[in-house]
Amino acid sequence: MIASVRGVVTAILPDSAVVEVGGVGMRVFCTPGTLAGLRTGAEARLATTLIVREDSLTLFGFADDGERQLFDLLLTANGVGPRIAQAVLAVHQPDAVRRALAGADVAALTKVPGIGKRGAEKMIVELKDKIGPIGFGDTGSAGMLAGAWQEQVRQGVLALGWTASQADQAVAAVGETIDGEAPPVPVLLRQAIRLLGKSR
């Protein structure tokens, strides 16, 4: 089990980052919000979960240990694989996920690409009694500089499976809502995903 990695970020891709650890470049799959907090050439620490399959070893990375623990919890639900669990954390902050499960908020869970009404109901039944303490904050981690948010949001939307055209429309729609300084990229990304979810 690889619980965390610390090293210099050598590359940031739409769905992952490469972190050099002891001379070895480890590709770590992350949510767009986590990627937005990384910088190429800077040191970073990511909490991680290693998913072992017969034909692959895949490392998923998170901004903190609490997010990783929620990811691991989501994986215990029937029908939820690592990609779905990661998509949940891309759309919602950890506390928002816990509130959705505790409050049986099917609508919130179905905003996640790949989760339908029945899947959301199953997750709630299986996980609502397993979630930890619920907070009420919904602030994102620090994002990129304001001038670069459009491309970060666009790449995040593409990584979650929407088309380039849909990504461009979402970025434009989010841009129209900004008055003054742009909020952090994770906040903007969640707004774009909500807009796209309404148009599905």
Side-chain angles (χ1 to χ4, degrees), residues 24 40 58 63-64 117-118 127-128 139 146 160-161 174 189 191:
V24 177
T40 303
T58 307
D64 56 49
K117 185 173 183 288
R118 288 186 62 187
L127 300 178
K128 67 179 180 180
T139 56
L160 288 170
V174 169
L189 178 61
Q191 187 177 349

Side-chain angles (χ1 to χ4, degrees), residues 1-4 47-52 59-60 62 68 71-72:
M1 176 68 178
I2 300 175
S4 67
T48 57
T49 289
L50 179 65
I51 302 297
V52 180
L59 200 58
F60 289 86
F62 311 93
R68 182 196 65 207
F71 175 85
D72 292 341

Side-chain angles (χ1 to χ4, degrees), residues 3 28-38 45-49 60-75 82 85-98 133 138-141 186 189-190:
V28 186
F29 289 87
C30 306
T31 66
T34 298
L35 292 173
L38 303 177
R45 178 197 180 272
L46 294 171
T48 57
T49 289
F60 289 86
F62 311 93
D64 56 49
D65 293 324
E67 193 173 84
R68 182 196 65 207
Q69 290 165 5
L70 182 55
F71 175 85
D72 292 341
L73 176 65
L74 291 170
L75 290 179
Q86 189 178 52
V88 170
L89 293 170
V91 175
H92 298 295
Q93 285 287 309
D95 281 336
V97 177
R98 294 186 180 97
D138 193 33
T139 56
S141 57
L189 178 61
R190 286 194 295 278

Side-chain angles (χ1 to χ4, degrees), residues 5-56:
V5 297
R6 182 189 295 274
V8 174
V9 178
T10 59
I12 298 176
L13 308 171
D15 61 351
S16 57
V18 178
V19 180
E20 187 169 312
V21 181
V24 177
M26 305 187 78
R27 187 177 183 187
V28 186
F29 289 87
C30 306
T31 66
T34 298
L35 292 173
L38 303 177
R39 302 288 183 275
T40 303
E43 184 172 284
R45 178 197 180 272
L46 294 171
T48 57
T49 289
L50 179 65
I51 302 297
V52 180
R53 296 282 186 263
E54 188 173 319
D55 58 349
S56 66

Side-chain angles (χ1 to χ4, degrees), residues 131-196:
I131 58 173
I134 300 171
F136 294 93
D138 193 33
T139 56
S141 57
M144 297 283 285
L145 295 175
W149 73 262
Q150 292 94 337
E151 184 59 22
Q152 287 290 305
V153 171
R154 185 178 187 277
Q155 291 298 328
V157 169
L158 290 173
L160 288 170
W162 275 285
T163 66
S165 174
Q166 289 172 316
D168 290 337
Q169 290 172 8
V171 168
V174 169
E176 291 175 0
T177 69
I178 296 174
D179 183 18
E181 186 177 347
V185 169
V187 174
L188 296 171
L189 178 61
R190 286 194 295 278
Q191 187 177 349
I193 292 168
R194 290 188 190 104
L195 290 169
L196 287 166

